Amino acid sequence: METNENVTTAQNPPHQPSPEAPVGTPFADFNLPEPLLRGLHESGYERCTLIQEQAIPLGLQGLDVAGEAQTGTGKTAAFLVPIFAHLLRDKSRTPGEPNVLIISPTRELALQIMQDAQAIGRHLGLKMLAVFGGVDYRKQAQALKEGVDLVAATPGRLIDYTKQGIFNPRHIKYLVVDEADRLFDMGFIADLRWILRRLPPYDKRQSMLFSATLGYRVLELTYEFMNLPRRVSVMPQTRTVSQVTQELYHCSSFEKLNLLLGLLKHEDWSRVMIFTNTKRAVDRLAFKLQAHGYPAEGTSGDINQVKRLKLMERFKSGELKILVATNVAARGLHIEDVSHVINYDVPSDPEDYVHRVGRTARAGAVGKAITLCCDEYATHLPYVEEFLGDKIPVVFAEDELFLPDDTPEYRRPPRQAQIEGQFRWTLFSGFAQDLQRLLIRFNRPVIPFHSALQNTPIEGCLPKMGVQFQSAFIRDERLFGLVHRR
Ligand code: AMP
């Protein structure tokens, strides 16, 4: 298959509005069904953003679309509006049949899509469901069984329900793959292909794909699973948001915390996101900031999903003022009014710098991005600056900016998965492939157990097995139980 080379690209020259500004064609000009138009209006959508301007007419014609656009550009409505219009006009469809599938890499993004869909689609009488791992296993399964029209899912949980016959992919008429590049980055590509192979053939459905960049690997996916997709693109002329003031401090890794403490004291901040490169640094920094009396919490891929969601909610609502995070939290989130983004570590992937910095100065607000460049990660800086096409302005840190830290050193709690001794342990997982991976990773006697109880949630497995629950941990959105084997 070929892609249509007739690429529509808006390079957003300086005299034009930013890709985020909704100043394009009014939605009222698209001949949309009235209830959809009303939902758009009541949700504050009057005119298109650039990506909507390009993608909606193609989508309304029933064409496949591959869009290059980041979060914040309005890409969600760019795919939701045509899909909703088609659903409303499709007289042959059976309500309660999952005709729409939106796949995204993270639960946060799936929830965000769901929120936008429920807002825009408030008058459409459609049942919509977010499906993701970590929580509400039975509730989501029950909702699927009762019938839904639209599913916004992360891959892992969706595969689980598909294997159990709770979700039937053959009903899908509209497919959206959101943040495709992130799906690759997070190692979901095998899972994504697994799902895509079970959908109706590409010419029997409409497919849309969005990605921050349409690089080689993503394009390959579009060749494979889409029907001559039209490419649309909104690339900001500068890679960072123009309203962001960027600053870079050089320091040693040894005194980085002291500099951060000074910056937090001197900067006029209201809400701060601090990004680190490792989960361990998240834990340590959150611990240290709390010890200094700051309202800070850490979030990373390792954290219990329920807790992670609650943290994001508290941060969004303004109750929590400082969030320390790895890159997982950097993409795909709409958190308004983050006054400061602090790159505690220079990221290894230049795109992560842009995503991190993109957390501030959203919706036309002014923000500040401060990067601490230490000996450990200084080698990443040239790549970031090359990607930006510019140097980040350097600020010299006066001695007074380094505040002392006399709080206790952070001690890492023992990892649950490292518990061992004279016992033999069984690791439970709903996924055979996870067990295989774990067997290799743990490099010690582990008993794979995935026959009769496969795909049964851990709470259900354990009483049936008569085993004593020791601990459970969540990794990659899946629950693993560590139990003492009888
Ligand atoms: P997205 O890039 O799709 O995640 O959208 C970012 C935010 O912009 C969402 O919270 C939307 O509610 C909002 N938004 C998107 N398109 C429009 C529009 N045309 N008019 C007003 N708000 C919009």
Side-chain angles (χ1 to χ4, degrees):
M1 221 192 317
E2 308 161 349
T3 42
N4 187 312
E5 288 307 320
N6 191 8
V7 182
T8 322
T9 306
Q11 282 295 338
N12 184 32
H15 58 276
Q16 278 201 4
S18 70
E20 296 85 4
V23 293
T25 308
F27 286 99
D29 287 5
F30 284 129
N31 187 26
L32 298 172
E34 192 279 330
L36 175 55
L37 209 50
R38 193 147 37 100
L40 282 164
H41 173 71
E42 287 172 14
S43 313
Y45 292 64
E46 301 296 345
R47 288 172 170 272
C48 283
T49 63
L50 268 183
I51 191 74
Q52 291 160 1
E53 181 102 22
Q54 296 172 48
I56 290 176
L58 297 170
L60 286 172
Q61 288 175 57
L63 297 168
D64 281 12
V65 175
E68 189 169 37
Q70 298 186 352
T71 296
T73 55
K75 65 184 166 61
T76 315
F79 59 75
L80 285 177
V81 168
I83 290 175
F84 281 155
H86 291 314
L87 281 187
L88 288 183
R89 290 180 175 138
D90 183 354
K91 300 288 173 233
S92 68
R93 72 173 296 269
T94 314
E97 231 175 48
N99 287 158
V100 185
L101 174 62
I102 302 163
I103 302 174
S104 62
T106 62
R107 51 184 292 128
E108 284 85 0
L109 186 58
L111 279 172
Q112 220 129 55
I113 292 167
M114 189 50 47
Q115 280 165 8
D116 285 356
Q118 278 165 343
I120 299 172
R122 63 181 73 182
H123 299 299
L124 309 186
L126 296 171
K127 281 197 183 163
M128 312 187 208
L129 181 71
V131 165
F132 46 75
V135 288
D136 293 341
Y137 187 93
R138 293 201 189 96
K139 232 163 105 183
Q140 290 175 24
Q142 189 55 34
L144 278 175
K145 283 181 193 159
E146 285 168 10
V148 291
D149 303 286
L150 178 149
V151 172
T154 55
R157 183 59 74 84
L158 188 73
I159 290 181
D160 196 347
Y161 289 142
T162 309
K163 282 184 177 168
Q164 292 189 61
I166 295 171
F167 173 75
N168 184 353
R170 304 304 296 177
H171 291 305
I172 299 304
K173 294 181 176 177
Y174 307 96
L175 166 77
V176 179
V177 178
D178 200 10
E179 298 206 351
D181 50 348
R182 205 67 189 143
L183 281 161
F184 275 96
D185 293 345
M186 293 174 72
F188 282 136
I189 205 60
D191 287 353
L192 179 65
R193 284 176 188 279
W194 190 96
I195 297 164
L196 296 182
R197 280 199 297 271
R198 281 156 183 81
L199 300 179
Y202 60 79
D203 53 349
K204 295 275 186 295
R205 59 165 202 256
Q206 184 177 14
S207 309
M208 299 194 221
L209 173 143
F210 286 84
S211 184
T213 45
L214 286 177
Y216 172 73
R217 55 187 188 167
V218 177
L219 279 179
E220 202 177 45
L221 194 73
T222 68
Y223 296 145
E224 202 178 332
F225 291 102
M226 298 177 78
N227 191 12
L228 291 170
R230 290 353 186 226
R231 279 178 63 179
V232 295
S233 171
V234 287
M235 292 290 288
Q237 192 195 27
T238 52
R239 297 223 185 230
T240 46
V241 189
S242 53
Q243 295 97 321
V244 180
T245 308
Q246 297 178 75
E247 288 180 352
L248 184 120
Y249 290 86
H250 286 286
C251 63
S252 72
S253 51
F254 186 62
E255 54 188 8
K256 210 152 63 154
L257 177 67
N258 309 83
L259 178 56
L260 176 71
L261 291 170
L263 286 167
L264 286 175
K265 182 143 191 254
H266 287 93
E267 287 289 324
D268 182 18
W269 55 269
S270 58
R271 201 151 18 140
V272 189
M273 281 191 99
I274 303 177
F275 288 106
T276 69
N277 287 357
T278 63
K279 291 167 186 170
R280 182 159 191 190
V282 166
D283 295 341
R284 175 174 180 263
L285 212 48
F287 172 87
K288 280 288 184 185
L289 292 177
Q290 284 165 8
H292 281 270
Y294 283 108
E297 295 278 0
T299 179
S300 68
D302 259 3
I303 287 202
N304 170 310
Q305 302 280 4
V306 180
K307 196 172 163 201
R308 202 165 120 198
L309 254 197
K310 279 198 185 135
L311 272 181
M312 295 315 298
E313 281 309 316
R314 282 177 55 212
F315 189 62
K316 271 186 181 182
S317 73
E319 183 197 330
L320 177 66
K321 300 287 182 210
I322 303 180
L323 189 67
V324 189
T326 49
N327 291 321
V328 172
R331 301 197 189 203
L333 292 176
H334 311 300
I335 295 165
E336 309 292 333
D337 306 327
V338 175
S339 64
H340 287 65
V341 164
I342 299 180
N343 289 307
Y344 192 72
D345 299 328
V346 182
S348 56
D349 181 348
E351 282 189 32
D352 279 329
Y353 179 87
V354 176
H355 282 281
R356 290 172 174 189
V357 170
R359 296 312 94 201
T360 182
R362 293 176 78 77
V366 176
K368 194 163 181 180
I370 300 175
T371 300
L372 308 188
C373 182
C374 68
D375 37 291
E376 197 179 348
Y377 296 115
T379 48
H380 298 163
L381 185 63
Y383 299 100
V384 172
E385 292 188 329
E386 189 188 324
F387 185 73
L388 295 173
D390 210 351
K391 294 260 178 220
I392 307 170
V394 174
V395 180
F396 180 73
E398 302 289 345
D399 285 349
E400 307 83 81
L401 207 52
F402 295 85
L403 294 187
D405 166 43
D406 46 14
T407 60
E409 200 35 65
Y410 171 69
R411 282 192 194 283
R412 195 178 187 179
R415 284 168 66 116
Q416 289 170 327
Q418 286 172 351
I419 302 167
E420 54 186 331
Q422 71 272 46
F423 302 119
R424 297 175 79 193
W425 302 89
T426 305
L427 272 157
F428 277 92
S429 162
F431 293 80
Q433 80 227 40
D434 287 337
L435 287 168
Q436 277 151 15
R437 240 182 265 146
L438 280 163
L439 280 171
I440 296 163
R441 200 177 294 166
F442 278 66
N443 194 23
R444 70 173 79 113
V446 180
I447 303 147
F449 184 93
H450 57 88
S451 52
L453 296 173
Q454 189 180 346
N455 293 335
T456 309
I458 195 96
E459 315 89 88
C461 281
L462 299 174
K464 269 191 226 163
M465 290 290 296
V467 287
Q468 212 189 334
F469 179 81
Q470 298 288 329
S471 63
F473 60 97
I474 289 170
R475 181 157 303 148
D476 300 335
E477 301 208 335
R478 285 165 197 175
L479 181 68
F480 298 94
L482 196 59
V483 298
H484 178 200
R485 189 165 180 268
R486 268 195 178 166

